[in-house]
Structure formats: C-alpha cells, structure tokens
Amino acid sequence: MIEKRLQEDWLYWMEQDSFALVWNIPQNARTISLPHDAMIENEAYEKSPNGGNTGFRDGGNYNYAKLLEIPSDACDKEIYLKFEGVYENAFVYVNGQLAGKNPYGYSVFYVDIKNYVRFGEKNEIRVIVRNGAMTNSRWYSGGGIYRDVYLCIGESVHISSEGVFVTSESADEEYAVVTIKTELKNSKNQAVKTVLESKIMDEEGTVVASESIPVTLFAGEERTMEQRIIIAKPRLWSDLSPNLYRCESELSIDGTVVDKNVAVFGIRMLSLDAKRGLRVNGRPCKLRGACIHHDSGLLGAATYEDAQYRQIRILKEAGFNAIRMSHQPIAPAMLRACDEIGVYVMDETFDMWTRAKSDHDYSMNFNEYWEKDVTSMVRKDYNHPSVILYSVGNEIPEIGTDLGAKICHDICAKIKSLDQTRYTLASINGVFMAGDKVEQITKDIIENLDESEKISGNVNNFMTLMDSHLDEIVVHPIITQRLEKACAATDIAGYNYMTARYEEDGKNYPNRIIVGSETYPPEIARNWEIIKKSDHVIGDFTWTGWDYIGEAGVGIPAYQWGEGGFGAKFPSQLAYVGDIDLTGVRRPASYYREIVFGLQNRPYITVQNPEHKEDTLIKTPWVISDSQPCWTYPGKEGNQVIVEVYSAGTEVELYLDDSLIGRKPCGSENEYRALFEVTYEPGQLKAVAYDGDRKIGESVLNTTGDLKQIALRAEALETIKYRKTTDRLLFVPITLCDESGNLVMHQDQKVHVTVEGGATLLGFGSGNPKPAYNYIQEMTETFYGRALLILKKKQDQQDITIKITSESGLQSELIVTA
C-alpha cells in the first residue's frame, strides 16, 4: 500500500462539551502540524490531579480535524488511516461517523475508512482523544496525536500494510538464507493472476539477490507467500556493525506493477543458553542497557525522527549498546534509529495487566485488547534487527499468582505465534510480586536483624527494610516460589532490583537465563562484576539512561523532606535519575558507568556540593551523590569538600595545583570510586590513574572565571540513511562561558530567545528537574551553565537568526544558513 504522511494543516482544539449537538469545528481551533503533544502545552501546577506522575501536568480531551480529499478513482481501492501512536482512548470519525477506536496510547493501529468517505470531495477526518480521566499513567504520557499519521491507499489486489516479514534463517561469512513472507490480499470478486518479485538491495542500492514467483489469488482471498533467498557474502548486523538491507517487493498484474513495499532489515542470528549466554552472530554479547521512557524531553511526547536519532546516538556514545523501552511499545522512529546506529532493543508490552496502578489506566481495557496490542507491537518490530527481546510486562503484581502465570503464558504464546526469532521475558519486581505476603516477609527479616537494627514488625516499616535490606528480601523463599510461576513461560527471567539472586539462581536453576531488566545506577560496579563472570546473566538495564518528565523527584538529591526523593513536591517535574539529562548532557553517573564497563581508562572527577557539606543527604537508591564536575565555589575557600574520582585503575592520585592530595585504591576492588577530602582553593584538580605502577590515564578539573559570554552552536544534522519522515530539527546548545570559553556552572542565568527567519521554536529549556518555565516559552533558566534550544526548520529555506539575551545583559547571536 502507498503511504502518505498527513503532517500539516490539522485543526486542534480542547474539548469543551462532550455532548455537542452541532458537529462543527469551533472558531478558536488553531492550525497545527503533527506530531503534537497537547499535554506539554499545559503549565505545570501544584494542584494538578496527576501530581508528580506527569510532572504536575493535566491531561485533557483533545480534538483534531483535517480535511482530506479522496480522489474519485479510489472507489475500488483499499483506504486506511495509520496511526503510530495516540495517547489515549482515540476515537476516529470520518464525516461524523465513527470509523474506529483504540484505547491503548502506544500501539500502532489502522482504521478502515473506505465505507465513510465521499470520493472526489473533501472529507472531514476527526480524532477525539479522551485523556482527561486522571490519573491514568505513572509517568509523563503526553497527550494527543503525538506520533505520525499516514493515509494508506492500496489497489484491490495489494500487499498488506506491515505485511512483509524478513527472517534470517541462517548466516555466516559465505552465505545467508533469508525467508520472506508476504501477505497478499485480493478484494476483487474474481481470481487474479499476479507475479510477486522480491529484490534484496545493500546499502549502496545494489541488488544482491532476487526471487520472482507467480501467484493466483482467488476472489476475496488473503494468502501469505514464502520465498527463500540466498545472499552471498552477507554483511551481518550487530551493535558493532549495523549493516542494513532493503527488501523491495513488487506485485504485478499483466506486467503492470500494482503495489510496492519496502522493508528495511538486517541479517543477524541470535542464540541463547545458560552456558554461553546471549550470542549475536556467534559472538558473545553482554547487554550494557539503558531503560528509557518515551518522552523526548523538551519536546514532550512528540516523536520526531531527528530527536530519536539524536537520543540513541548520545546513548551509544556514552557506552550503552542496548535500550529497554519502559513500559510500552517503542515508536517506529526510534526503532529505525536503533537499527541504523546499532543498539539492541527490549520492547515492552504493558505496565499493568488486570490490576490497576493508576485509577484509569490500561487495566480497564486489558482483557479485551491485549491480543490486538501485542499483535500490533510484534508486527511493527518484526523487520527491525535491533529488537532482540520482548518483555510481556513490567512489575506486574499478579504475575506470581496462578492466573498471572497463565496470562504470562498466553502473552508469550501469542508473541511466539507471530515471531519465533526473539526471546521473551517479564520484568519482575520480587517485592511487588510478594503482594499479600509482604507482612510475612517483613516479620521474617526483622526476626533475623541484629539488636542494633531492630524495628517494629509493622508492615508500614517495609520501606525502611527496602532501603537497607533489599538483598535479604528478594531472596526470601516466598519470592523464590512465586518466581518459579512467573518465569515458567518466558525464555529469560527479567529481574528488577534483584541482583542478590543472580549467582544463587544460576546454581539452583541451571537452565535459567537472567537479565537485570531494571537496576539501581549506584550498583553498576557490583552488578557488572557478577555479570562478567556469570554466563547465565546476559546484561544490565539501568534505571534510567536518559532523564524524563514525570515520576517527579525520585532521583533529586534533597536535604529537607519534600525537596526531592520519594517525598518530592512541586515544582519538581522531572525524575532526575538519568545518566544523561533531559537535554542530552552526560551526568557523573554516565562517566562512572563507562569506566565500569571497561570502555574508558581516563579517570573522572566530580565534587560533592560544598553548600551542604554538613547536611544529611536524603537520597533514594537511584542516587550516587549530589556531585557535579565543578571546582568553582566562590566563598567556600578554606572549607572541606569531598572530591569523588571514578577510575578503572587499581590506584588513583589526586593533585591540587600539582600538590599531591593523596593516593587511594580504586578499580574493581573498590567499585571504581575513591573519595578525597580536600580543602577548597581555586586552581586545578588533577586525577592520575594507575594500573599497578603503570599510568593509564589522567584528567583535570579547573576553576573557571566569571561569566563573560554566551556560546551558541548548531549541532550537526543527523545523517540518516533510511529516513522515513522529512522533519528537520535543529538542536542549539546554549553555554555560559568565562573569558576563555570555559563552561561556567556557578552563575546560572535567565535567558530569552528570539528566532527569526526559517524556523520555529519547538522546545527551550534545561536539565533542571525543577524548571521555572514551560518548554514552549521563549524564556528559560540555565542549569549548571547549560540550556538547549530546539527549532523546526521551515520549508522556505530561509536563513535562521537566533538571538539570546541573559538577565545580566549578555547577548549572543547565531545565524544558521539555509
């Protein structure tokens, strides 16, 4: 089928009256382009019914309308609308008539509109999105038509949408065998003789293999044809060499092509067992994973291709080779980025099954819709070589019950019926799964505590135990028994925060393969040492690789209750747990992880906040410390500060202006982290790492001068070989600098932007977890000296002029040529 992207000239308005006698478009409707996140336009405010879940932003009921002309000669054709994601409860009307609906906010879905259109005339396509029931999400969901929409028109004899499935049957250096299954449909009331030709092309466009077969399709028939094609000297796909091919399918009648389809795929073989772990193309592979949410930071949930590529590129450059999309199906645009850049994907179905986690969440529709949504996910993912794992649910509390185990089996079986090439798991939290046995587990753990640790046996103290005795909790026999049920139907056991089980479960269950599907960032050193020596543990997925809106404050260091952590209050809006902040800036945890992974020998210096040297840090298990890579603290001269050095070396030295502060053990035996107490004086910190007596790397951290200038630069546009969309976003980092151009982190500024010429503002903000301005405003405040401006280039090819003015009167201008 031919797909046409419907991006421009949509009308949008908020629902005023659900029972409207007149089906009209109000005068206040405004023209927008897709993708569009309606929720990000709402100001965050303290009394939002959604609370911190969505970063204190309300949901709402949204209306979209588009006038669409369907040509007269399309009356004998198939006509669909394809929606890649609408959050949530989407109702699609054509000329006032309900053509289809989709409750789940993350599924690709199709709506057959042929029976409702007027050919040769303008047709009103209206999408009503009912996202006003709060709460319905545990994180920032966004709202509205936040992914792309396509008009799909096909001949009466055609290839089904998403109807070509390419499978690597075997592959080595000499030959690969790929199987191509193609879904064909004949909606005519008579038999039709067709020819199906499939051509395989490499990245240079050279045809490397092809196959042509005759197919007689009978009246009303749908048939799946299978072709096996040999490819000589194949270029295999992996994270190290993300080679891609195109499968171009053509369906012909009497020599005339009536339909075409292009499927981008990679040739790669997966194998998995408890003795050799995960292997890709025969090579052992440990997953250096990042859990991420679906929002695009300053853009909210709006899914732009350029933003997805930028995010995946930055994650890979930081040392990750895998992502887990948490906790819903990933966007097609991000899959394309992972394919091309070379990042493995764990795609996830749901955050809940039959038991609600929010008042109005998907559990209300699970029983009726899960098969449809699982099918949608698998069909979307099938040709993407980056996808290697399917998670059937995240922290499902009922998964250890008899019914939960059956649901787990049914979802896994459904996936296997559609795709035999990937592996399944559930992301299991042992504590959540304990459910009704929490009180018994609490009692048992308390009885085993030393006298100095005794607390009362009240179940309300379970969170106290969680903080200091999680390892004892997760190995409790009750959790062990429930895990046996939960893992009975999956290929892999996904463990959320259950590192303590890795080694013993490898002994007790010799065929069990484990992945750390969600882990605490501060525990990566411990986790990775176990993973490296345990063949049955295939990787680690930290929570999280990239910061996100919602679950506000869970990773914000605090010194008074309510400032951050579990008790975070407004204006906290971000989770603040990402290795990488909302704008793409790497935080200290990112450099720590890169060193633990063995990807960097150069040490990293970061400094705990001297403003709170004497205060007790209130932090959740996701927080390492409150440190920043800064050695500029005016007014703190002579005060003691804690300097953290991350290093792969067995020892590390720290100098201040060439005076040795000390030499301390580091490396794997000390979780790659050494702490030094230093008297603050302006100057240069230098860390030198040693492996025994051999120097392996050094780094410096300098005191900077006062703020003197604002630096602007336009990031290079992403090079995307297999671009699906035509969006061209421009990312412009804004940096506060001293006279020498060094980053100034201690003199943050309110900054105002004006944009003239060939671009419009899409997002403006920083990584501050407590932003004072909405991301669609022309004003923001820098955070540790940085902010980010995101523009969308217009079609008119004008030059773009960007002007930044700070509250202190500094100005900067950047002209980007068309």
Side-chain angles (χ1 to χ4, degrees), residues 217-400:
L217 294 170
F218 291 94
E221 183 184 9
E222 296 182 34
R223 190 190 305 180
T224 300
M225 299 302 299
E226 183 172 320
Q227 299 164 291
R228 296 178 73 246
I229 297 180
I230 295 176
I231 300 173
K233 302 293 183 182
R235 302 172 185 174
L236 303 186
W237 188 97
S238 71
D239 63 314
L240 301 177
S241 55
N243 300 302
L244 294 171
Y245 290 85
R246 291 163 60 94
C247 175
E248 296 195 357
S249 304
E250 292 184 348
L251 190 64
S252 302
I253 300 175
D254 296 330
T256 301
V257 175
V258 297
D259 202 6
K260 293 182 179 181
N261 184 87
V262 175
V264 178
F265 71 98
I267 300 172
R268 59 111 178 90
M269 303 301 298
L270 302 177
S271 59
L272 182 71
D273 62 65
K275 298 303 179 185
R276 291 175 292 185
L278 173 67
R279 289 178 295 160
V280 180
N281 303 323
R283 178 183 63 86
C285 179
K286 296 289 190 181
L287 300 176
R288 306 188 303 271
C291 297
I292 60 173
H293 270 198
H294 77 294
D295 73 75
S296 295
L298 307 181
L299 301 174
T303 304
Y304 291 91
E305 189 122 4
D306 287 323
Q308 306 288 283
Y309 272 74
R310 178 179 184 266
Q311 184 175 11
I312 294 301
R313 173 181 54 78
I314 291 172
L315 284 164
K316 189 168 186 182
E317 289 172 351
F320 293 109
N321 70 354
I323 62 167
R324 170 190 175 213
M325 178 49 65
S326 317
H327 307 287
Q328 74 285 316
I330 192 172
M334 183 165 277
L335 284 179
R336 293 191 289 270
C338 291
D339 289 345
E340 193 163 314
I341 295 170
V343 171
Y344 300 112
V345 173
M346 178 198 301
D347 206 359
E348 196 154 57
T349 53
F350 313 111
D351 187 49
M352 72 295 293
W353 293 347
T354 62
R355 287 173 55 179
K357 294 181 179 178
S358 302
D359 289 343
H360 304 280
D361 64 21
Y362 181 74
S363 64
M364 300 173 70
N365 297 295
F366 176 82
N367 281 342
E368 293 77 18
Y369 280 90
W370 74 262
E371 285 192 77
K372 173 181 176 291
D373 291 318
V374 168
T375 299
S376 172
M377 181 187 76
V378 175
R379 287 178 68 91
K380 165 183 62 72
D381 290 359
Y382 195 96
N383 290 325
H384 293 281
S386 55
V387 180
I388 62 172
L389 304 174
Y390 293 123
S391 170
V392 301
N394 171 65
E395 296 186 339
I396 304 297
E398 69 267 35
I399 195 170

Side-chain angles (χ1 to χ4, degrees), residues 518-795:
E518 190 169 315
T519 63
Y520 294 125
E523 294 191 358
I524 185 58
R526 172 203 183 192
N527 294 349
W528 201 245
E529 290 304 306
I530 298 173
I531 290 168
K532 286 192 296 185
K533 67 183 181 182
S534 302
D535 293 331
H536 68 288
V537 186
I538 64 172
D540 175 277
F541 287 81
T542 188
W543 191 265
T544 59
W546 196 284
D547 199 15
Y548 58 95
I549 309 172
E551 293 191 291
V554 67
I556 299 177
Y559 311 95
Q560 296 183 30
W561 183 253
E563 291 181 343
F566 293 122
K569 299 177 181 178
F570 186 81
S572 300
Q573 294 166 45
L574 310 186
Y576 204 57
V577 292
D579 275 24
I580 298 166
D581 82 4
L582 201 72
T583 67
V585 174
R586 295 179 65 181
R587 299 172 62 203
S590 175
Y591 295 95
Y592 179 54
R593 187 178 313 280
E594 187 180 23
I595 288 167
V596 171
F597 283 155
L599 303 176
Q600 180 61 259
N601 282 331
R602 187 174 65 252
Y604 182 80
I605 306 170
T606 184
V607 182
Q608 294 183 12
N609 191 339
E611 296 288 342
H612 297 282
K613 176 68 167 56
E614 304 304 321
D615 298 333
T616 299
L617 178 63
I618 303 171
K619 64 186 185 76
T620 63
W622 292 273
V623 179
I624 298 175
S625 69
D626 64 356
S627 69
Q628 291 290 336
C630 179
W631 191 242
T632 307
Y633 297 104
K636 296 299 179 183
E637 292 80 4
N639 290 6
Q640 296 298 299
V641 297
I642 302 298
V643 176
E644 302 181 19
V645 180
Y646 308 147
S647 175
T650 55
E651 291 185 296
V652 64
E653 291 177 339
L654 183 67
Y655 295 83
L656 177 57
D657 289 337
D658 296 324
S659 296
L660 180 64
I661 300 298
R663 180 165 175 152
K664 291 194 173 185
C666 205
S668 61
E669 295 297 317
N670 295 276
E671 297 191 335
Y672 301 90
R673 186 167 176 249
L675 303 183
F676 296 84
E677 188 164 16
V678 182
T679 301
Y680 174 70
E681 295 294 341
Q684 182 187 79
L685 287 177
K686 181 172 70 173
V688 183
Y690 297 89
D691 183 8
D693 294 328
R694 181 174 63 91
K695 178 181 173 181
I696 61 172
E698 68 175 54
S699 62
V700 299
L701 187 60
N702 293 298
T703 300
T704 61
D706 288 334
L707 173 63
K708 296 294 183 182
Q709 56 184 319
I710 302 174
L712 304 179
R713 66 177 178 87
E715 291 184 1
L717 295 174
E718 303 287 346
T719 300
I720 306 173
K721 297 176 184 176
Y722 295 99
R723 177 178 293 279
K724 182 72 178 291
T725 62
T726 57
D727 292 324
R728 298 306 284 167
L729 301 192
L730 192 62
F731 294 84
V732 183
I734 299 161
T735 309
L736 305 184
C737 299
D738 65 10
E739 198 166 42
S740 300
N742 301 307
L743 170 67
V744 174
M745 301 181 70
H746 67 290
Q747 291 179 301
D748 280 315
Q749 298 278 296
K750 294 177 182 177
V751 290
H752 181 270
V753 64
T754 59
V755 180
E756 300 173 352
T760 57
L761 187 152
L762 282 185
F764 189 37
S766 72
N768 189 345
K770 301 177 181 181
Y773 300 93
N774 205 357
Y775 300 137
I776 61 173
Q777 294 179 259
E778 296 177 338
M779 176 76 76
T780 194
E781 190 169 5
T782 61
F783 186 60
Y784 292 116
R786 290 186 170 99
L788 179 68
L789 173 67
I790 307 175
L791 305 177
K792 183 178 180 181
K793 300 177 76 172
K794 297 177 182 178
Q795 300 294 326

